[in-house]
Amino acid sequence: MNELLEALWYILPAYFANASPVIFKGKTPMDFGKSFVDGKRILGDGKTWRGFFGGLFTGVLIGVIQYQIKPDFYGSFSIALKLAFALSFGALLGDLIGSFVKRRIGMERGYPAVGLDQWGFLVSALVLAYPIKTLTTGQVLFLLLVTPFIHWGANVLAYKLKWKSVPW
Amino acid sequence: MNELLEALWYILPAYFANASPVIFKGKTPMDFGKSFVDGKRILGDGKTWRGFFGGLFTGVLIGVIQYQIKPDFYGSFSIALKLAFALSFGALLGDLIGSFVKRRIGMERGYPAVGLDQWGFLVSALVLAYPIKTLTTGQVLFLLLVTPFIHWGANVLAYKLKWKSVPW
């Protein structure tokens, strides 16, 4: 497999974990409606338990499917599973940290933070997956370059399919 | 030198190139006041020729000083010079692309784009410097993690020193 395609293959669970909460939605917010010391919401209504676990499940499922298709990429099912979990959890954690930062600086739910939305989940996923299986520096830089475009394209698509109310 | 300190040493010209336009300021905007096809400014008054060349000069100067201190890190003066130029030019280019994106989505000059402001110049610098001298994956991830905090700290400091009118 080409080195760049390999990088996209590697990151797939993170992409799916990051995108799927849009479909799962959910009602109970992860911060249970609570506010932070600054009086603003900790995370906001956009981050739900259902979205979180739905995203985690989806990302891990993608990893299981990927292992069936290309087991030699992972070496063992255990590594494939750990990697998919780390990438998915990392992507969701990065998104939560992003929401936390957005609320602290007074940004409304759903308002785009250019850069944070596209890179935050990716950096977090790459960091958490790093101890399990590592990409080369070139592959990491490639993912940093293409992810904003993929993220933007996926959001426009979700908007056109009416899964999202805003195109970001 | 410790691997993580080495990463900070490596990226130093990019940090200085990114920070120095605040001091150089300048009047003539790089877009010469022209608008893009969407009727909005191409880059805005915040990006000046003086800031650009001042940033480039500062970044390269830092590289020259770094070579005097630690020549074995670079191997040759030619590599040190090329690396400092690539990192500085990359940082400034990333910042320009950031301004271009911010203008396109209707953000005012100086308005913070969380993520884009902290990671855009870094990703661009790392990509342009990649063919000259490469960090490890771990070092790149480390820089992605610490740069937002360094960026934020530097901006708060510049604000307190009254070099900037806003703390971001």
Side-chain angles (χ1 to χ4, degrees):
Chain A
M1 201 164 16
N2 171 291
E3 206 202 352
L4 301 183
L5 280 179
E6 205 180 77
L8 289 172
W9 178 263
Y10 172 98
I11 205 68
L12 226 49
Y15 280 175
F16 272 86
N18 183 249
S20 61
V22 167
I23 296 166
F24 287 101
K25 290 189 174 78
K27 274 182 191 162
T28 314
M30 293 189 79
D31 63 7
F32 297 109
K34 290 203 179 92
S35 295
F36 196 60
V37 288
D38 56 10
K40 291 167 193 156
R41 283 287 294 276
I42 301 175
L43 298 170
D45 287 329
K47 302 298 155 198
T48 66
W49 286 104
R50 187 167 156 175
F52 181 81
F53 285 109
L56 202 57
F57 174 80
T58 307
V60 172
L61 185 69
I62 293 294
V64 170
I65 296 169
Q66 283 182 298
Y67 180 74
Q68 305 306 320
I69 299 170
K70 255 193 116 37
D72 54 316
F73 184 79
Y74 304 95
S76 78
F77 182 63
S78 158
I79 291 175
L81 211 57
K82 277 183 210 161
L83 184 65
F85 184 83
L87 287 168
S88 309
F89 183 76
L92 293 159
L93 179 69
D95 206 39
L96 292 178
I97 295 171
S99 283
F100 179 78
V101 170
K102 283 159 103 172
R103 289 309 90 76
R104 298 292 73 71
I105 58 170
M107 287 174 84
E108 293 294 319
R109 170 192 170 189
Y111 188 90
V114 194
L116 190 60
D117 292 341
Q118 290 76 22
W119 281 324
F121 85 93
L122 176 66
V123 170
S124 177
L126 289 172
V127 168
L128 265 73
Y130 176 69
I132 299 155
K133 184 175 165 68
T134 308
L135 294 176
T136 65
T137 303
Q139 287 174 317
V140 168
L141 293 178
F142 169 71
L143 288 180
L144 286 165
L145 282 180
V146 299
T147 299
F149 296 98
I150 294 172
H151 189 272
W152 177 76
N155 277 317
V156 169
L157 184 69
Y159 173 69
K160 297 225 165 158
L161 293 172
K162 296 190 198 302
W163 292 350
K164 291 187 76 174
S165 56
V166 287
W168 54 70
Chain B
M1 201 162 20
N2 172 291
E3 206 203 353
L4 301 184
L5 281 179
E6 204 181 78
L8 289 173
W9 178 263
Y10 173 97
I11 205 69
L12 226 48
Y15 280 176
F16 273 85
N18 184 248
S20 61
V22 168
I23 297 165
F24 286 103
K25 288 190 172 77
K27 275 182 188 162
T28 313
M30 292 190 79
D31 63 6
F32 297 109
K34 290 203 178 95
S35 295
F36 196 61
V37 288
D38 55 11
K40 292 167 192 154
R41 283 288 293 277
I42 302 175
L43 299 169
D45 287 329
K47 301 299 155 197
T48 65
W49 286 104
R50 189 168 154 175
F52 181 80
F53 284 109
L56 201 57
F57 174 79
T58 307
V60 171
L61 184 69
I62 293 296
V64 169
I65 296 168
Q66 284 181 298
Y67 180 73
Q68 305 306 320
I69 299 170
K70 254 192 119 35
D72 54 314
F73 184 79
Y74 303 96
S76 79
F77 183 63
S78 158
I79 291 175
L81 212 57
K82 277 183 210 161
L83 183 65
F85 184 84
L87 286 168
S88 308
F89 183 77
L92 293 158
L93 179 68
D95 206 39
L96 291 178
I97 295 171
S99 282
F100 180 78
V101 170
K102 283 158 104 172
R103 292 306 92 76
R104 299 292 73 72
I105 58 171
M107 288 173 84
E108 293 295 319
R109 170 193 170 190
Y111 188 90
V114 194
L116 189 59
D117 292 341
Q118 290 76 21
W119 282 324
F121 85 92
L122 176 67
V123 170
S124 177
L126 289 173
V127 168
L128 264 72
Y130 177 68
I132 298 155
K133 183 174 165 67
T134 308
L135 295 175
T136 65
T137 303
Q139 288 174 316
V140 168
L141 294 178
F142 169 71
L143 288 180
L144 286 165
L145 282 181
V146 298
T147 299
F149 296 98
I150 293 172
H151 189 273
W152 176 77
N155 278 316
V156 169
L157 183 70
Y159 172 69
K160 298 224 164 160
L161 293 172
K162 296 190 197 302
W163 293 349
K164 291 188 76 175
S165 57
V166 287
W168 54 72

